[in-house]
Amino acid sequence: MGSFGRHHLRILSKSSNAELVGIVDSDADRAAAAASEYGCTAFSSIRDLRGQVDAAVVATPTSSHAEIGCALLESGIDVLVEKPIAADIESGRRLVDTAARLGRILQVGHLERFNPAVGELKKIVTVPLFFEIHRLSLFSPRSLDVDVVLDLMIHDLDIVLDLVGAMPEEIRAAGISILSEKVDIANVRLAFPGGCIANLTASRVSTERVRKLRLFQPHQYISLDYQKQEAVAFTVSGAQQIGFQPLSSAKDEPLRLEIEAFLASVASRERPPASGEEGLRVLEVAMAILAKIEEHAKVVAERIQSHP
């Protein structure tokens, strides 16, 4: 259980819509300590959860999402799995298919969906034409089992796909490894049917933390700061006057909103926001981006080798 798993425990222990029953962790001592802190049971295996719980959160390394998630679903347990949905498309599809076959709820932890500022942005989006998005982080050993595309950029890929409502028809991408064996910096250009373009940059070796999205649509420019949960819209009127309008939103913890949305879906049996199907689509785009990055890396390597 990493630091993010503890945040799930903290929120679930305080929720009025659920009872925190227990925790499963590969480290028995860590599980016992967390169970003691949050007043629940430390289970030794996910098999012990059958018949004990209605829903579970999977906050484990990405490579284990499919195995653990499917086992829980097969036990009749609804699942909120952290992003990305899985380490590869086949595993992600297995999760989605298992949930569909068994009629279980499967939600993916695309956290920015629940950012209050994003919620306000969705209310005024009309015809997105151009996105410019930067997500930069200081280096941390956390999540180094995946590339920066699956670690950071996937948040913004989810938002763009949700706002545009279509899959990209062209992808260009470049990325490099700096402090890990995976891609640490990536720049991507997505072209969508109808002419919308999205430029995305993600880095986990930055000197500052940045989480910003800029969106252009007819007669309007919108700037959103994920960290501050703030957004402003600049609108050009018929008289060529520029209007400035802050998008009001009540600030809240996105993870709490995400968990409460999951619990609401578990209770209502309605399709959750950031569903498994949507998480799989985002993963498909992310994997296509990584393939393009690999193609670009080969071209660069050939050029370097041929340089005198």
Side-chain angles (χ1 to χ4, degrees), residues 1 6 28-38 42:
M1 175 184 61
R6 296 191 71 86
D29 292 336
R30 186 167 56 193
S36 175
E37 179 179 356
Y38 293 102

Side-chain angles (χ1 to χ4, degrees), residues 92-148:
R93 186 170 292 115
R94 184 153 56 92
L95 268 170
V96 170
D97 290 346
T98 300
R101 173 170 55 84
L102 298 172
R104 306 315 312 175
I105 298 295
L106 174 62
Q107 181 174 317
V108 184
H110 286 295
L111 195 61
E112 298 292 15
R113 284 280 191 107
F114 303 90
N115 188 310
V118 173
E120 292 302 309
L121 170 63
K122 290 183 67 173
K123 294 177 182 178
I124 65 169
V125 167
T126 55
V127 184
L129 298 176
F130 185 80
F131 292 88
E132 187 72 41
I133 304 175
H134 291 84
R135 185 172 293 266
L136 316 177
S137 289
L138 304 177
F139 183 77
S140 168
R142 184 188 67 83
S143 296
L144 293 186
D145 60 321
V146 295
D147 298 273
V148 71

Side-chain angles (χ1 to χ4, degrees), residues 5 27 32 59 61 101 134 154 158 171 179 215 225 246 257 272 303 307:
D27 186 320
R101 173 170 55 84
H134 291 84
I154 199 160
D158 176 60
I171 297 174
L179 298 179
L215 166 63
D225 189 317
L257 297 175
R303 181 183 179 188
H307 195 276

Side-chain angles (χ1 to χ4, degrees), residues 70-81:
C70 285
L72 291 169
L73 292 167
E74 294 282 0
S75 294
I77 298 170
D78 297 320
V79 171
L80 167 58
V81 60

